[in-house]
Amino acid sequence: MNNREWRKDLEDVLNEYVASSSNPSKELLSEWIRRYPEYRQEIIDFTASWSLMNHLPPSPDIQEVNEETLVLRGMSIVQNLLHQQKQALNRSNPSLSGLLDEGKKQGLSIRVLAERSIMSPALIRKLDRRLIRFPSIPSKAIERIAQAISATDSLVIHYLQGEPKSMAGARYRSSERISSSKEQEDFFNAVREDLSMEEEQRRYWLALESHDESRGNEE
Amino acid sequence: MHIQPLTHHNNAGELYQRPNIITAQIQNVIELPPYLLFPRARISDSESPDFLKEECLVYLIREYHRRREEALVNDLAEILIRRSTGIIQSKLVSLTADAKQDAHSDVIAKLFDLILDMENDRGDFLQVRYWVVIERLTIDVFRRHCRTLSQKKNTISISPSVFSNSHDDQMQARNLVSGETLADTQLSVEELMLLQDGLNILDEQHKVAFILRHYASWPIESHDPLEPTISQYFDKTPRTIRNWLTQVEKQLERWRQNEQP
């Protein structure tokens, strides 16, 4: 077992230990040491700290800690974590070049890719060109496409959030972005107006509309 | 919508299971648009039928993070931090104001490191028993802060690893209280409650020894080599520990007499 796994297992043991009682007792400590002798020292140290935390008197320090300050500090920590993750993802995870490209790499024709995603080829093409407004796309559609092209949901999400692509595959220039975003369609409208889509597929997607439509309108 | 399953197993090899109420709450709200979800998530009255438990909020944060909807992640994270702050603070009352703020930040950092780690399922237990994990993380952070504060004050750390047996024991031996006064007394619950406020006058190691003996009921020594003892914890002879405890009781007795009107 490497150090990371050892640490992870210890965290599980300590979680279960804390879950077993609201207060550490001598008997509980002995029982857990018997159960997990490999973590004996860690359990003893942890129990001592647990007892101290429960029984030490309040600090005589009269300065009060402002709760709003703590929340703001906490939020700043969360934002830092999100930022770090985004940077790491950009470094290590090349984005998808396109849904059709990705399918092609795996020998999937647009027809097969569409079938596996319960969509029509026309709708897949629109999604590939990012002509569908991202907030209106139901999670189920993202999951189906990701499964079809064997990618993670987050890669597909990242791709679909990008700028719309022109027919030739080139992205719109920045001066065209405002008008291009207006040209983006709502997912459910695209389903409704897609004459090539099979009725069964249409019913499948429109059944999800009631919730997702309002989510899209909100944004 | 399909709910992402938990995948983490405990040490007994059993898959963690969300309580049914958490699964039901997730199912009820996962498809809600933000303008309906947020008023529900902001309900802080746990008695309200619309109250969302913290385990459910953890799932939602992970789900929106998976979908890269950062604004929703931020909003839900703020709600979770607000709910947790009071509880975390109540456990850190013995720390000074500065240390308390730092410790709170450390707990939040560890918490969200677990929640936002999408490559790993080590935070799954947060969707099973959220407050248990908060307690465990707070104890971990508390331990580190006590250690750091002790080192800053250049006093002896509460960590047993820093005690060296021989030298300190020799020093203690010179100051030993006579043998007949080293009785291992048991204090009543009432006495312990009265004495609790006085513990601040004690130095770190004496305070720890007293709490382990009288509040956590650890034995000073034991014939069972597997049983944890205060003597082992500090790597000191049982006689040294008895001497400490006797000194502490005398200090506390003096404190109590001075406190009485």
Side-chain angles (χ1 to χ4, degrees), chain B residues 176-190:
Chain B
L176 274 183
V177 178
S178 62
E180 61 271 26
T181 63
L182 294 182
D184 181 16
T185 51
Q186 287 292 335
L187 301 174
S188 69
V189 176
E190 291 76 17

Side-chain angles (χ1 to χ4, degrees), chain A residues 4 7-22 24-27 29-30 33-34 36 38-79 81-83 85-86 89-90 93 134-135 138-140 142-143 152-155 157-159 161 208 210-212 214-216 218-219, chain B residues 1-2 4 8-12 16 31-35 63-70 72-75 77-78 81-82 85-86 89 91-98 100-102 104-106 108-109 112-114 116-122 125 129 131-133 135-136 138-140 142-144 146-147 158-160 196-200 204 207-208 211-212 215-219 224-229 232-233:
Chain A
R4 202 186 156 123
R7 188 81 225 160
K8 196 174 89 174
D9 287 351
L10 173 63
E11 285 175 6
D12 288 344
V13 169
L14 295 179
N15 279 338
E16 288 166 36
Y17 181 39
V18 174
S20 67
S21 171
S22 58
S25 68
K26 192 179 70 171
E27 293 72 25
L29 172 60
S30 299
I33 289 174
R34 260 195 303 277
Y36 297 105
E38 66 273 33
Y39 295 121
R40 182 177 195 276
Q41 196 53 50
E42 287 74 18
I43 293 172
I44 290 175
D45 284 352
F46 182 85
T47 308
S49 299
W50 193 2
S51 299
L52 294 178
M53 194 178 81
N54 285 355
H55 296 295
L56 278 174
S59 161
D61 186 350
I62 50 166
Q63 194 188 333
E64 287 215 359
V65 181
N66 181 300
E67 192 168 316
E68 199 54 36
T69 308
L70 293 175
V71 173
L72 288 176
R73 279 177 72 162
M75 283 309 295
S76 150
I77 289 164
V78 171
Q79 275 148 14
L81 275 172
L82 289 169
H83 181 67
Q85 285 193 358
K86 206 181 279 180
L89 191 71
N90 288 342
N93 222 348
F134 174 74
S139 308
K140 197 76 204 166
I142 293 165
E143 281 172 26
T152 60
D153 289 6
S154 51
L155 267 181
I157 288 167
H158 188 57
Y159 177 78
Q161 284 176 324
L208 300 175
S210 57
H211 292 306
D212 283 285
S214 37
R215 173 180 155 231
E218 175 76 0
E219 304 191 12
Chain B
M1 183 187 284
H2 170 68
Q4 305 292 328
H8 195 80
H9 293 79
N10 64 15
N11 282 341
Y16 282 141
E31 298 274 13
L32 289 181
Y35 77 93
E63 177 60 22
Y64 288 126
H65 186 42
R66 195 174 67 87
R67 297 189 209 169
R68 300 206 188 170
E69 301 204 38
E70 203 171 303
L72 302 186
V73 171
N74 272 319
D75 289 348
E78 186 180 337
I81 292 173
R82 279 190 193 284
T85 292
Q89 287 295 288
K91 294 180 184 301
L92 299 172
V93 286
S94 59
L95 298 180
T96 60
D98 283 348
K100 210 184 286 181
Q101 288 196 34
D102 290 345
H104 177 271
S105 294
D106 290 347
I108 296 294
F112 278 89
D113 184 45
L114 291 173
L116 298 176
D117 185 353
M118 304 308 283
E119 308 298 319
N120 207 304
D121 60 8
R122 65 202 173 98
F125 200 57
R129 299 279 302 272
W131 293 113
V132 164
V133 184
E135 173 111 10
R136 199 263 300 164
T138 310
I139 296 165
D140 268 346
F142 175 81
R143 180 168 40 167
R144 276 174 216 168
C146 285
R147 201 175 291 166
I158 65 163
S159 167
Q196 201 170 20
D197 285 344
L199 296 179
N200 277 327
E204 203 68 34
K207 189 160 46 182
V208 174
I211 286 175
L212 291 181
Y215 291 86
S217 305
W218 284 27
D224 177 358
L226 294 178
E227 185 179 29
T229 65
Q232 283 171 358
Y233 181 75

Side-chain angles (χ1 to χ4, degrees), chain A residues 141-153:
Chain A
I142 293 165
E143 281 172 26
R144 299 296 313 197
I145 296 168
Q147 277 170 16
I149 60 174
S150 306
T152 60
D153 289 6

Side-chain angles (χ1 to χ4, degrees), chain B residues 83 109 186 198-199 220 237 248:
Chain B
R83 285 202 199 174
Q186 287 292 335
L199 296 179
I220 294 171
T237 63
V248 167

